[in-house]
Amino acid sequence: MRTLALLLLTAMLGFAQDTPNFTGHWELNIAKSDFAKQPARAVRFAIVHKEPELEYEVFHDAAPGTSAGKLKYVINGQEGNVSAQGNPLKYKAHWEAAVLVVETWGKFGPNEIKLIDKWESQPGGKAVMIYRHFEGPGGPQDQKLLFEKQPDK
């Protein structure tokens, strides 16, 4: 019985996955991304990830112009507040195995929006794919955004 319990514990630990650390500088690979209806010319992140917090600066270049901002999430599954370009939004961030899930909702300008981002580290940790579901003006959209890690500056 003791051997069986030890084998089961070992098997369960083998299935446990570590969560990735997204700290670093990341740049969107436009050619390997799918923007749906919202193409971008460039997107860059500078991330500091110290569990349970993830803070990042973002630079976004798309029509009609560029924008930059800083976002901070606490990854604990509880509702929090974040501001994006002066718009107060709500969020929940949690892990599903090794995938970071961030749900964000609220009013962006005059429009109600909802985003569900799933951050998935790619093999080797040199890229992260963000699977984004967006609901708002223009109807629902699904995007795949591939960010590649850049050398530290």
Side-chain angles (χ1 to χ4, degrees):
M1 186 60 125
R2 196 172 178 184
T3 304
L4 179 60
L6 185 58
L7 285 172
L8 287 172
L9 178 62
T10 303
M12 287 188 307
L13 291 174
F15 288 114
Q17 295 183 4
D18 291 329
T19 56
N21 185 301
F22 295 113
T23 296
H25 293 86
W26 301 85
E27 190 164 325
L28 182 67
N29 182 322
I30 292 170
K32 294 182 179 179
S33 295
D34 177 4
F35 299 99
K37 300 175 188 174
Q38 298 180 5
R41 292 185 286 262
V43 181
R44 292 188 296 278
F45 291 158
I47 299 175
V48 176
H49 183 182
K50 294 179 183 174
E51 270 305 316
E53 295 181 350
L54 184 136
E55 185 172 3
Y56 66 98
E57 293 181 52
V58 60
F59 169 80
H60 187 259
D61 183 8
T66 62
S67 63
K70 195 172 202 177
L71 301 165
K72 183 176 182 178
Y73 297 105
V74 178
I75 306 166
N76 62 7
Q78 297 181 14
E79 187 175 298
N81 298 300
V82 67
S83 178
Q85 298 179 8
N87 297 279
L89 302 169
K90 301 278 186 190
Y91 78 90
K92 283 185 184 180
H94 66 277
W95 290 104
E96 289 181 2
V99 176
L100 174 61
V101 179
V102 180
E103 300 173 56
T104 308
W105 66 94
K107 262 191 139 135
F108 195 87
N111 303 304
E112 288 290 331
I113 63 162
K114 181 176 182 182
L115 294 109
I116 300 173
D117 287 348
K118 295 185 177 185
W119 296 44
E120 187 175 295
S121 182
Q122 301 299 288
K126 300 294 182 189
V128 61
M129 180 69 81
I130 299 177
Y131 297 93
R132 172 172 288 162
H133 178 75
F134 171 83
E135 294 178 13
Q141 301 175 41
D142 290 304
Q143 299 177 327
K144 294 178 186 173
L145 308 171
L146 182 68
F147 287 85
E148 295 175 336
K149 196 163 196 175
Q150 303 299 302
D152 288 334
K153 296 179 181 184

